[in-house]
Amino acid sequence: MKISIGSDHAGFEQKELLKAYLEELGHEVVDRGCYSEERVDYPDHAVPVAEDVAQGDSERGVLVCGTGIGMALAADKVAGIRAANIINPQFAQLCREHNDCNVITLSGRFVEFEENKRILDAFLTTEFGGGRHAGRVCKIMELD
Ligand code: RB5
């Protein structure tokens, strides 16, 4: 799968580790920065990742900041994006199954790397459930 990834300074360390993990799994990863721990503004990296996904250049997006909250707020402003801030594997599964999320935002400061790996596993392997969930997701997308 082609995946765009990005972070701010607070998510940089885990972004690097998660990028390596995704590559180990055989995914093609597009890195939209940041590229060091120098302080940056998270929307500057959320938007390029969200645009890659919205334009169909990448299938999924992964964003990491201190909490994941700012990244979700910014990514969800891009038309076509369904981003959620996820801090456990069960929510990762449900954000795919019920909400068809195409971008996941993670916490680099409050969630351990091993847990974020499990979260990504669930995010990348769970299909959208469709059915009763499809109309609800359509109603969200009509708000774009
Ligand atoms: C940066 O200090 C922090 O605000 C940012 O990484 C993120 O947690 C925002 O939601």
Side-chain angles (χ1 to χ4, degrees):
M1 191 183 289
K2 190 169 171 188
I3 298 167
S4 287
I5 194 166
S7 74
D8 70 355
H9 52 287
F12 173 72
E13 190 182 338
Q14 284 221 34
K15 188 260 286 176
E16 292 296 296
L17 294 169
L18 291 167
K19 177 181 159 184
Y21 176 62
L22 291 171
E23 285 171 344
E24 256 173 56
L25 292 176
H27 298 290
E28 182 187 347
V29 183
V30 179
D31 188 348
R32 296 299 186 191
C34 61
Y35 304 108
S36 76
E37 285 182 343
E38 191 179 327
R39 191 164 296 173
V40 292
D41 296 331
Y42 52 81
D44 295 342
H45 300 282
V47 171
V49 167
E51 286 179 344
D52 282 349
V53 176
Q55 289 162 10
D57 294 332
S58 285
E59 205 171 321
R60 301 276 172 84
V62 177
L63 289 163
V64 196
C65 65
T67 57
I69 295 170
M71 286 296 198
L73 293 172
D76 270 321
K77 292 287 183 190
V78 175
I81 293 306
R82 293 174 299 281
N85 181 201
I86 298 295
I87 58 167
N88 67 48
Q90 192 181 4
F91 272 35
Q93 184 193 326
L94 288 168
C95 87
R96 287 289 311 133
E97 213 172 289
H98 288 200
N99 313 109
D100 199 16
C101 279
N102 48 15
V103 172
I104 192 167
T105 75
L106 304 173
S107 168
R109 284 185 175 153
F110 297 92
V111 178
E112 297 295 329
F113 173 55
E114 290 301 323
E115 183 75 341
N116 273 332
K117 277 174 29 179
R118 289 188 282 272
I119 287 170
L120 273 191
D121 288 342
F123 177 65
L124 296 172
T125 58
T126 307
E127 294 298 324
F128 178 46
R132 70 184 190 281
H133 305 296
R136 297 164 185 165
V137 171
C138 277
K139 287 186 180 185
I140 296 171
M141 300 327 287
E142 282 165 14
L143 301 172
D144 273 346

